[in-house]
Amino acid sequence: MHVRPAEQKDLEILSQICMASFDSALADTLPAAGRDTFKAIAAPAAIAARLAEDNQVLVAENAGKPVGMLELKAGRHIAMLFVTPAQQHQGVGKALINAAFELATEQSVTVSASLPSVGAYQKYGFELAGEIAESGGLVYQPMEASLP
């Protein structure tokens, strides 16, 4: 497995990874507004726009093929973490989290975790950091990990 910065040529496949993972684990748990919000956020043009700002997007590759992505906002907030469903539970997410921790510019990293992903983030060292909230139909649990 190899983790590298995303490039413009990756945008379509990264969007597909996000949508495949979202559709298999989250879509059915959210109202239509949440599904629509996520589709807009995961669109290639939206990822490109954030990549042009201060966000860092990482790609996890297995045998040269993208299988996961992570978006780190402002060096301190994980905005997106998605792994292709067939590659989940194989260390892809952990590799991406470790890479994000290395890039972090603060002593702690936050995430607004979807409710089904809270357990995974806890395994990565995150702790609950507030009450469950909602934005644009997306329901999330604020979490935070302190870095050594």
Side-chain angles (χ1 to χ4, degrees):
M1 171 136 16
H2 173 67
V3 176
R4 63 171 175 80
E7 301 172 18
Q8 290 293 319
K9 68 179 176 81
D10 299 315
L11 297 176
E12 186 64 40
I13 188 71
L14 295 182
S15 177
Q16 291 171 10
I17 289 168
C18 290
M19 289 309 304
S21 182
F22 177 82
D23 286 344
S24 75
L26 298 171
D28 291 343
T29 70
L30 297 172
R35 293 189 299 273
D36 291 343
T37 296
F38 186 80
K39 286 176 189 173
I41 291 168
I47 298 170
R50 294 190 305 274
L51 188 56
E53 295 171 355
D54 67 345
N55 294 15
Q56 294 172 284
V57 178
L58 302 174
V59 178
E61 293 180 324
N62 195 354
K65 179 182 178 191
V67 294
M69 65 89 66
L70 181 144
E71 183 176 334
L72 184 66
K73 182 177 182 173
R76 67 181 189 283
H77 181 78
I78 295 173
M80 296 181 84
L81 170 61
F82 289 96
V83 176
T84 250
Q87 295 288 314
Q88 291 176 2
H89 307 290
Q90 297 181 30
V92 177
K94 182 68 171 168
L96 286 163
I97 290 284
N98 288 340
F101 284 174
E102 289 178 21
L103 293 172
T105 58
E106 304 285 332
Q107 281 306 113
S108 67
V109 173
T110 60
V111 65
S112 298
S114 66
L115 300 186
S117 69
V118 168
Y121 280 108
Q122 287 174 320
K123 289 178 185 175
Y124 301 147
F126 286 80
E127 297 178 355
L128 303 181
E131 299 298 318
I132 293 171
E134 178 270 333
S135 176
L138 297 173
V139 180
Y140 63 92
Q141 170 66 60
M143 301 183 79
E144 185 172 2
S146 296
L147 304 182

